[in-house]
Amino acid sequence: MDKLLIKGGRPLQGEVVISGAKNAALPELCAALLTAEPVTLTNVPRLQDVNTTLKLLRMMGVQAERSEAEPDTVAINASNVTSREATYDLVKTMRASILVLGPLLARFGEAKVSLPGGCAIGSRPVDQHIKGMQAMGAEITVEHGYIHAKTRRLKGARITTDMVTVTGTENLMMAAVLAEGETVLENAAQEPEIPDLAEMLIKMGAKIEGHGTSKILIQGVERLGGVAHRIVPDRIEAGTFLCAVAAAGGDVTLRRARADHLDAVIDKLRDAGATIESGADWIRVKNDKRLRAVGFRTSEYPAFPTDMQAQFMALDCIAEGTARITETIFENRYMHVNELVRLGAKIEVDGHTAVVQGVPQLSGATVMATDLRASASLVIAGLVADGETVVDRIYHLDRGYDQMETKLRGIGADIQRIK
Ligand SMILES: CC(=O)N[C@H]1[C@@H](OP(=O)(O)OP(=O)(O)OC[C@H]2O[C@@H](n3ccc(=O)[nH]c3=O)[C@H](O)[C@@H]2O)O[C@H](CO)[C@@H](O)[C@@H]1O
Ligand SMILES: C=C(OP(=O)(O)O)C(=O)O
């Protein structure tokens, strides 16, 4: 199992190119199931989750290949879909496999998808995906751990989800584009990956309005065509690098990054004392002093993202003062806390709130990654800790970061992968 060995204490300098967003790539790869015509995605990040999605599509008979000449380009052809099933073996390694449910049901009138089950950050049910598709007329049964869905043709419906759900909104939007009549999605998620998916679907011939707001209107069409689409930059990867540089100190410019998708995180970094400038497709972060601890509360976009909670907490650990952090999206997203404490952090958790009392220095140790963003927070802590930090179980990191250690080495970090 690969590990990362980090020698902390080096400031970071230079430039990093931000990859395409994992959370846009996964639904957009699944959206290719909606058409028999060729789909080309560019700016596809090199991630384990993308490999898993390509494998899932191939198991359905779909041609889905990365270009050898242009590795950020993936060509997909779903003209000959031979299976409408996502098996437990794949869904258990990647929850986002649930995103094939909407497209399969919409185009073929049937789908069999394993229930994802809980994961390291929470129980994460998919009841809203199911409820929405039932409202569109699908017959759904859950048996032997699988969702079995059937319909003649989905019918447009008015759907209000009980809570804001990102993949739920995406799944229902992909189901509705081929349904008969109009669908209204109320309480829709507004994360930038949703308008990115909607724009791809519109280029395929879908009729969608209101994407990027909490009310999405979809007029179903008979069929969709092929498309070439460039995936939006990964705001969470960008936010992770911003926190790393602010914590370790230095001066780094992120290229192909969208500051307008990171307003809440950038505001908090400025409150902490980092200097941030930005243009249309770049963000520059500078810091040469000890930061101030800053509290925040995670919530749906455009508020502070839960996917940045662990990384910002790592920064608070070595800042001056005390920060109060509240996690409102997932019930169990503090698995990194005990590992940060092993590095010398002072953190107390009470329910959904963590109180971080900044310490002047962390000290390197061996720590274990428990989920994707927890892993990133341990890498940031390792970059600022005194001595050597070994981060074990980094397969979590490979699921969602495109060559993180190579990018960090490029800006001066002392970080190596050990096999
Ligand atoms: C692939 C992808 O895009 N993953 C992101 C997506 O996950 P994901 O789409 O799984 O997260 P949701 O937005 O659905 O979850 C929000 C909350 O709603 C609950 N819920 C959700 C659906 C449902 O049917 N029933 C239910 O109870 C969840 O347990 C959670 O407490 O949004 C999360 C919240 O921004 C991010 O952390 C993930 O990185
Ligand atoms: C929780 C995350 O992803 P997923 O929904 O794929 O588990 C994440 O990206 O932080």
Side-chain angles (χ1 to χ4, degrees), residues 22-23 26 49 95-96 121 124 307 333 372-373 399:
K22 163 177 91 71
N23 288 352
L26 305 182
D49 270 8
R95 305 181 54 77
I121 61 175
R124 306 184 73 181
D307 291 352
R333 209 169 194 181
L372 171 54
R373 309 303 168 186
R399 192 163 82 68

Side-chain angles (χ1 to χ4, degrees), residues 186-226:
E186 297 271 11
N187 206 20
Q190 300 173 47
E191 272 66 6
E193 294 75 29
I194 288 169
D196 198 57
L197 170 65
E199 278 154 26
M200 171 182 172
L201 294 168
I202 290 168
K203 284 185 258 171
M204 293 168 78
K207 293 196 172 143
I208 308 176
E209 286 173 22
H211 42 292
T213 77
S214 63
K215 182 174 180 172
I216 305 179
L217 297 165
I218 304 143
Q219 202 68 50
V221 296
E222 293 281 338
R223 58 178 291 283
L224 294 175

Side-chain angles (χ1 to χ4, degrees), residues 22-23 26 96 124-129 163-167 191 306-307 329-330 333:
K22 163 177 91 71
N23 288 352
L26 305 182
R124 306 184 73 181
V126 290
D127 56 306
Q128 301 301 307
H129 305 229
M163 76 292 293
V164 176
T165 154
V166 175
T167 49
E191 272 66 6
T306 174
D307 291 352
I329 306 292
F330 293 110
R333 209 169 194 181

Side-chain angles (χ1 to χ4, degrees), residues 139-294:
E139 279 172 42
I140 300 191
T141 51
V142 180
E143 262 177 5
H144 308 298
Y146 277 83
I147 303 166
H148 300 257
K150 261 185 134 168
T151 183
R152 202 184 54 77
R153 184 178 176 195
L154 290 171
K155 290 198 169 44
R158 196 177 181 87
I159 301 166
T160 307
T161 47
D162 292 357
M163 76 292 293
V164 176
T165 154
V166 175
T167 49
T169 302
E170 292 163 348
N171 232 343
L172 296 174
M173 190 161 74
M174 291 191 281
V177 286
L178 288 180
E180 191 183 327
E182 186 180 72
T183 298
V184 181
L185 298 179
E186 297 271 11
N187 206 20
Q190 300 173 47
E191 272 66 6
E193 294 75 29
I194 288 169
D196 198 57
L197 170 65
E199 278 154 26
M200 171 182 172
L201 294 168
I202 290 168
K203 284 185 258 171
M204 293 168 78
K207 293 196 172 143
I208 308 176
E209 286 173 22
H211 42 292
T213 77
S214 63
K215 182 174 180 172
I216 305 179
L217 297 165
I218 304 143
Q219 202 68 50
V221 296
E222 293 281 338
R223 58 178 291 283
L224 294 175
V227 65
H229 179 75
R230 183 174 176 83
I231 296 172
V232 69
D234 196 315
R235 65 197 163 97
I236 305 299
E237 186 197 18
T240 302
F241 277 97
L242 293 180
C243 285
V245 178
D251 181 351
V252 170
T253 300
L254 309 183
R255 297 284 171 202
R256 298 198 208 149
R258 290 276 301 259
D260 57 327
H261 290 167
L262 274 166
D263 286 340
V265 174
I266 289 175
D267 280 355
K268 292 290 173 186
L269 283 167
R270 287 192 175 127
D271 289 351
T275 303
I276 302 199
E277 297 161 19
S278 63
D281 63 351
W282 59 271
I283 312 174
R284 181 176 180 189
V285 53
K286 286 191 277 184
N287 183 37
D288 59 5
K289 58 195 172 306
R290 188 169 179 205
L291 296 169
R292 291 183 290 277
V294 174

Side-chain angles (χ1 to χ4, degrees), residues 2 29 38 43 45 72 104 108-109 159 242 260 289 291 312 318 336-337:
D2 292 6
L29 287 165
N43 205 26
D72 292 349
L104 286 175
F108 303 106
I159 301 166
L242 293 180
D260 57 327
K289 58 195 172 306
L291 296 169
F312 210 103
I318 45 111
H336 42 285
V337 165

